[in-house]
Amino acid sequence: MKNLSKRDLLFIGLMLFSLFFGAGNLIFPPFMAQAAGEKTWIAMSAFFITAVGFPVLGVIAVAKSGGLTNLAKRVNPVFARIFTVLIYLSIGPGLGIPRAGSLPFEMAVAPYLPESMSIKISLFIYTFLFFTVAYWLSLSPNKLVDRMGKVLTPTLLLLIIVIVVGSFIKPLGEYGAATNGYEISPFFKGFLDGYLTMDTIAALNFGIVIALAIKSKGINDEKTIVSLSIRAGLIAGGLLSVIYALLAHLGAASGGKFGLTENGAQTLTNVTNYIFGKPGAVLLALIFTLACLTTSVGLITSCSQYFSTLTKKISYKNWVRILTVSSMLLANMGLTKILSISVPVLNAIYPIAIMLIVLSMLDFIFKEDHLIYSLTILFTGIVSIIDALGQVGIKIGFITKSITFLPLYNEGLAWIIPAITGIVIGLCIKFAKEFLKENKIFSEKISD
């Protein structure tokens, strides 16, 4: 039976890292750390759970279940179709891809444009070039390992390392004081900050890309594909942890030296300007563009692969064209509008995705029990969706008010107790059924 060499496995792991590591992953750790200051590593310990742990578990869950649809079907076939489509739309053309296209421009290009240049025209030109390259890379998914794992990802890592090394040669100084709520509950703040990377949701999509990359190396045995997907996920997760830790250090030191900024891009701009002067702007623009480009390619590829399975009338390549053009148009809405939509959508979907992954990891206990999956996702979804609607001003009277009494509501984690309740009720019913079934069999044997 054919297996991957360690070298090929490393490149697939690097490719998976690059799929995860977009501009959001670049800006959130330093932005969080500049506010967390001396509490940075408490916040980061929770950030690692939602921004690294669950994404890696998501890759494993999808690999073991044979795809997101199969995993979601354990809840309900109708839920599987709706949830899967919603995941692909939100992480893809509806939110994730346009955000990745507009973020590098607004964070690392627009601030340095001459006042005489139109921002709208410049954004259109930038996104046109950006998505042209993304389109070209996405047309050949079997070549992603060579193009991303061997070229783009090492280049991105090298550029980030240049900044980190520069910070040791020209130190920023001590960490600042914790502010913005991190002084009170750094752990819970860090946990929620991990949502913003969108990687747990993305992990449910990228499983299909990793499986395709492994198959392109001539491996078709399903057990081997699952095993290699898990190992690639661990490589990507380890690398993410290291990069996040380095970026958090830069952010915490930047907060102590320059104070708080409005976003993580400004934090990194302060760092690169201090270390490298004006050339730092070019370095940062390259890093942002590469990070967003690799993520966009992964999202376009995975979404196109999925949507092409829904209808035979539109091929994979046509889906690539549709998603690329639509994402470019949405990217020209501007980052502010995109982000205003992203936070409530993430708060609604993320808890459901997390619990689906948790249930999958504990399936050796649950044995794909439909009731346990259904109750857990139902209770989790009700709370997370009502909470998300309330955040955008849509309140449902006493129902919205009632969830404010749930434990951990103020920390943004009101869904946890309902999720656990769903598991407990489901298990109780499962064990009760098994007990009654065994007693019935026992009674029948006695009567015989």
Side-chain angles (χ1 to χ4, degrees), residues 192-264:
L192 292 176
D193 285 338
Y195 282 17
L196 299 176
T197 64
M198 301 177 73
D199 281 347
T200 297
I201 297 175
L204 299 177
N205 293 4
F206 291 155
I208 192 171
V209 181
I210 296 304
L212 188 66
I214 294 171
K215 288 179 180 179
S216 72
K217 298 298 180 181
I219 295 172
N220 296 303
D221 179 69
E222 289 301 322
K223 288 186 177 180
T224 304
I225 291 172
V226 170
S227 174
L228 292 172
S229 295
I230 293 172
R231 290 161 67 185
L234 294 175
I235 292 171
L239 194 51
L240 281 171
S241 299
V242 172
I243 297 300
Y244 285 154
L246 294 173
L247 290 171
H249 166 72
L250 293 176
S254 172
K257 188 172 185 63
F258 304 109
L260 300 184
T261 59
E262 293 183 1
N263 55 62

Side-chain angles (χ1 to χ4, degrees), residues 25 63 109 119 127 136 154 173 270 297 322 367 403-404 416 448:
N25 309 75
V109 178
I119 294 294
T127 53
W136 174 70
N270 287 339
V297 171
I322 292 169
K367 307 296 183 183
I403 69 169
T404 64
I416 287 182
D448 290 341

Side-chain angles (χ1 to χ4, degrees), residues 94-96 98-99 102-103 106-107 120 123 329-345 392:
L95 185 61
R99 186 181 82 164
S102 63
L103 198 149
E106 296 201 22
M107 294 302 189
K120 288 186 177 181
L123 174 60
L329 295 175
L330 287 173
N332 280 270
M333 288 171 49
L335 181 62
T336 302
K337 288 184 179 179
I338 294 171
L339 291 180
S340 68
I341 299 170
S342 69
V343 173
V345 170
V392 295

Side-chain angles (χ1 to χ4, degrees), residues 350-356 358-359 362 366 371-384 406-408 413-427:
Y350 229 87
I352 299 172
I354 286 175
M355 288 314 302
L356 200 57
V358 169
L359 291 170
L362 297 176
F366 306 141
L371 190 62
I372 294 174
Y373 275 81
S374 298
L375 289 175
T376 305
I377 296 304
L378 176 64
F379 291 175
T380 304
I382 288 174
V383 175
S384 66
L406 288 171
L408 301 177
L413 300 171
W415 55 270
I416 287 182
I417 298 302
I420 295 173
T421 302
I423 292 175
V424 171
I425 293 175
L427 279 173

Side-chain angles (χ1 to χ4, degrees), residues 135-161:
Y135 168 74
W136 174 70
L137 289 170
S138 301
L139 283 178
S140 304
N142 59 325
K143 296 181 180 179
L144 288 183
V145 175
D146 292 331
R147 291 172 175 173
M148 293 173 66
K150 296 181 181 180
V151 181
L152 296 180
T153 306
T155 303
L156 174 60
L157 291 173
L158 179 62
L159 294 174
I160 294 173
I161 290 171

Side-chain angles (χ1 to χ4, degrees), residues 4-21:
L4 278 184
S5 66
K6 291 181 179 179
R7 183 171 177 271
D8 284 337
L9 178 61
L10 174 62
F11 285 134
I12 290 176
L14 287 174
M15 184 191 77
L16 180 56
F17 165 82
S18 69
L19 297 181
F20 280 132
F21 196 79

